[in-house]
Every structure is written in C-alpha cells, then in structure tokens.
Amino acid sequence: MTSASAPTFPRRILLGVTGGIAAYKAADLVRRLRERGAEVQVILTEGAARFVTPLTFQALSGRPVRVGLWDEAAEAAMGHIELARWADLVLIAPASADFLARLAGGLADDLLATTCLATTAPIAVAPAMNQQMWTAAATQANVQTLRTRGVLVLGPGVGSQACGETGAGRLLEPSEIAARVFASDPSTGSLAGRHVVITAGPTREPIDPVRFLSNRSSGKMGFAVAAAAQAAGARVTLVAGPVSLATPTGVARIDVETAAQMYRAVHAAISDCDVYIGAAAVADYTPGCCADNKIKKTSDTLDLHLEKAADILASVAALERRPFVVGFAAETTNVEAHARAKLERKKLDLIAANEVGAERAFDREDNALLLLWPGGRKELALKSKAELAHEFVAFIADRLAAVAAGV
Ligand code: C5P
C-alpha cells in the first residue's frame, strides 16, 4: 500500500463516476487517491447510482456525495460552479461511452457534465465499456475530440470483460489510474523538468514537383509518445513529418517534410535536450535534388539516383554533450538481432524494436515493443499505442535515472 504522502498536485480531485459495471472499482479508486493525500469529492451520474450507492462513496471519501443537478440543499452547500472551481483535477472513472459523447458534445444535462463544462481544471477520463462500443467510430471520434482539447485519456485496458467478450474497453486498475493521475504533475512527474525532443511520422523526398518517395509511417506512435512525455511532466518538442494528426496539448510542434529539414530542425532544438527519441521513419536514401519540372514518361525505364540521407539519430548520439538517446527499429525479420546491432552501431542508450509488415505496426491503433539497452531487454505487450507510450515513457524515465546513478 502506498503510504500517505504530502499532498501534491492534484490535491483536490473531483471524481465523476458514470454508469457502467466498472463503477464498483471507483470505490477502490477513492481509497487509492486518498492514500496519496488527495481530497476527493465524488459525483455519481444517475446511471452510476443504479450500480453503486452514494453511501459507499460517502464513507470512503469522507464527503457527501453529489448525484443530481436539482438537489437544492446540496447546491446551497456547494453549488456546481463552486465544485468546478474547487477541483484541481476532474477525473471521470469509469467514463462510459455515453458520457464521453456528452463531454465531447459539450452537453450540460446533468451535474457531472455541467461541472466539466464549468471547470478550468484539467480533465482526465478512464473509459470503460464493451469492446465493440469502444472501437465504434463514434466513440473513437469523441475520444479524438477530447484528446485534441487536452483531456487526458487513461486506458482503456485490454482483456476479458464483464459482458463475456475480450478486447479493449476494461477500466484500468485503480492503482494504475491513481499513479497516472499523479504522474501528470509538471513538478513531480517522472520527466518533470526535462526537455524531450521527439521525431515522428514519415519524411517525403521530392523527385520532381509532383512526386516524392515516402513510407507507411502514420506518426501515431511518435505522437502518442509525445503526449505521454508531456503528461509525465516534460517540456516536449515534436518534430513531425507530414501526418494528419492533431498536436498533443502542451507540445511544441515543428513541421518538416524532408529528412534534411528534419535533421536541421532536430539540431536546432537539441541544445538543452535531456532525452531524444527518434520515432520518425526517416528516409534512408533521397534523390537529393528535385527535378525542376515534372518528369515525362518518354522512356520505358527510369533510373533514380539516390544518395544516403544523414542519419539523424546517430548524429545526435555522436554529439559531445549528448542527451539520453532512444531509437526505434522497425524490422520485418530477426527483430531482436537487427535491433541490438543498431543499438550498438548507433551508440544508443535504448532502442524500441517492433516487427512491421502488412499487418503490423504501421497505421494501427495498437503495437507491441521490445526494448533493448546495453545489457538488458524488456517486452512491452500488445496494447493501444497511447497506453504503450505511457509504459515506454515511464521506462525511459527509469533508465534515465539508472544511467545517471551509474547503474
Ligand atoms: O537504421 P534504421 O533506419 O533502421 O534506424 C531506425 C532509427 O533511426 C529510428 O529511430 C529512426 O528515427 C532513425 N533514423 C534517423 N535518420 C535516418 C534514418 C533513421 O534518425 N536517416
């Protein structure tokens, strides 16, 4: 059990519990949050109050629980606007598909939704629902809207569900939700005070004014890592190739197109960098110079002359004052052997390897990683890229501390 520590951010948590079978786990979550020194005020939606009772939460939180918007006595004690102002953080766990839709839509049709609209505090949601409801296009669009607005999305986890199905949609364990909530503190997060530079996405190497060489990278993994590093308290600079992804809240983004532009942007950003993460799929070869006019199909064959592009990752690792350097290795065969060779050849501190191919890694929502570092290895199992990114960032913070301690 975590011992009660001095209250840090978030000291006052408004915990919204919405209607779903996972609501019973929110009772344990109240305990976990209080163990860490937070005051917890619970709001149950009408649906949640059908699964769990206000009395349970009152006993655990030590505060009267709010359910309806129209409770005159409760509104007189602490009205919904006061509740919204009181909170350092609004945490909704479990967050049902219906509630995510209402939050994304900006509705104010019950106490919890109204309070979310009225607060200036950060909002975190821990979704829990049937796996089909989670993957439904409407839910995914709502979650994307919420992420773009800066809502921290915790989970969901993957596994067996109360409905008998298996997949993504389980509420994260209360201990993990509590840990993640406190890890988002810019003064105490695992990367607090660190500057992290991340590259993401593909590069485009122009051949002529209308054509280019590129690859299948979607940028999703790199963007998820940027969001996770920011949530762990880091100042994050994200150097992005051409992708159609929203910038994670609080992250400074620099858009580039070619490998040469990415090289320059990275070296311009890196002087005070503590951690460099090369998640971009940078061109290995480039035509170098682009034809002035569109190449005409006048001959049966066409030879393209390609030159090797500068290796950005290796160049960062070769700096005299170098940050902690993390690379990626996307491999189709012999993943571990190729990745370890790359770790050594490029003199990296850590490499994240994954198998790629038609069905794997590119433009998918989930991923698995094999982490390799000098003298060690660790597997991170298949999960959503957002979840995986949080584990990955937590591991980077651990390795950073171990290297600083000479371990
Ligand atoms: O050697 P390979 O391209 O497989 O290495 C992949 C790693 O190197 C990734 O971290 C990628 O971001 C980085 N890289 C780079 N510059 C290049 C090619 C790859 O930084 N020109």
Side-chain angles (χ1 to χ4, degrees):
M1 193 171 99
T2 320
S3 61
S5 51
T8 56
F9 170 90
R11 199 162 60 82
R12 296 190 296 221
I13 300 176
L14 196 65
L15 175 64
V17 181
T18 72
I21 186 58
Y24 78 94
K25 291 190 178 174
D28 188 29
L29 179 58
V30 175
R31 289 187 52 230
R32 305 283 173 180
L33 297 171
R34 293 198 70 196
E35 280 167 9
R36 288 172 179 261
E39 287 178 66
V40 181
Q41 168 67 55
V42 177
I43 297 179
L44 300 183
T45 62
E46 306 261 344
R50 288 173 175 258
F51 286 94
V52 288
T53 73
L55 198 59
T56 311
F57 287 90
Q58 180 168 322
L60 291 169
S61 68
R63 306 172 72 97
V65 169
R66 296 290 307 271
V67 180
L69 189 53
W70 309 110
D71 180 337
E72 283 173 31
E75 277 290 310
M78 190 177 331
H80 61 278
I81 300 294
E82 271 175 275
L83 277 176
R85 288 188 189 139
W86 172 86
D88 292 328
L89 173 80
V90 177
L91 168 64
I92 296 133
S96 64
D98 173 69
F99 189 78
L100 294 176
R102 287 194 287 127
L103 190 59
L107 298 194
D109 54 354
D110 71 359
L111 178 62
L112 184 57
T114 307
T115 309
C116 287
L117 214 49
T119 194
T120 55
I123 299 177
V125 295
M129 65 200 71
N130 161 271
Q131 54 91 20
Q132 193 55 51
M133 291 172 77
W134 170 250
T135 49
T139 305
Q140 288 302 309
N142 290 332
V143 170
Q144 187 54 37
T145 301
L146 295 174
R147 279 194 215 277
T148 310
R149 285 187 202 147
V151 172
L152 179 63
V153 181
L154 307 173
V158 180
S160 63
Q161 301 200 294
C163 54
E165 295 180 16
T166 302
R170 277 168 67 99
L171 184 69
L172 289 186
E173 289 308 315
S175 56
E176 189 174 349
I177 296 175
R180 290 273 294 278
V181 158
F182 283 87
S184 66
D185 181 353
S187 62
T188 63
S190 60
L191 288 177
R194 305 289 196 174
H195 181 204
V196 178
V197 175
I198 302 173
T199 63
T203 60
R204 270 184 197 168
E205 308 302 317
I207 297 171
D208 69 16
V210 294
R211 304 184 178 97
F212 54 79
L213 290 177
S214 191
N215 58 66
R216 287 168 170 275
S217 169
S218 65
K220 284 179 185 162
M221 192 65 221
F223 273 58
V225 172
Q230 202 274 339
R235 178 163 69 85
V236 179
T237 304
L238 175 62
V239 181
V243 293
S244 53
L245 294 173
T247 311
T249 305
V251 166
R253 171 171 174 176
I254 302 165
D255 285 313
V256 297
E257 200 158 309
T258 65
Q261 288 168 358
M262 188 172 275
Y263 183 99
R264 285 195 292 275
V266 164
H267 282 276
I270 205 120
S271 59
D272 64 346
C273 162
D274 301 288
V275 179
Y276 173 78
I277 305 174
V282 188
D284 291 325
Y285 291 92
T286 168
C289 61
C290 168
D292 289 339
N293 295 308
K294 186 178 172 193
I295 299 170
K296 294 290 176 196
K297 50 174 182 236
T298 44
S299 56
D300 286 344
T301 59
L302 175 68
D303 292 330
L304 276 181
H305 174 76
L306 302 178
E307 295 159 11
K308 207 164 193 179
D311 191 309
I312 307 169
L313 186 64
S315 73
V316 171
L319 290 173
E320 203 174 320
R321 262 196 72 250
R322 61 178 258 170
F324 185 87
V325 184
V326 184
F328 273 76
E331 306 290 345
T332 49
T333 54
N334 293 338
V335 176
E336 184 156 357
H338 285 309
R340 189 159 294 278
K342 210 164 282 183
L343 175 84
E344 287 161 12
R345 192 173 66 246
K346 300 196 189 193
K347 299 192 170 40
L348 310 179
D349 296 296
L350 181 68
I351 196 158
N354 57 354
E355 195 175 335
V356 291
E359 297 290 309
R360 305 293 296 271
F362 286 131
D363 208 13
R364 284 188 56 144
E365 296 305 325
D366 56 12
N367 199 4
L369 291 177
L370 169 64
L371 306 184
L372 302 172
W373 63 97
R377 77 189 291 285
K378 181 181 168 77
E379 286 174 30
L380 302 184
L382 184 72
K383 50 181 70 70
S384 76
K385 285 184 175 172
E387 279 306 296
L388 192 65
H390 283 285
E391 265 188 47
F392 181 43
V393 162
F395 187 78
I396 290 172
D398 283 353
R399 284 299 308 153
L400 191 59
V403 167
V407 181

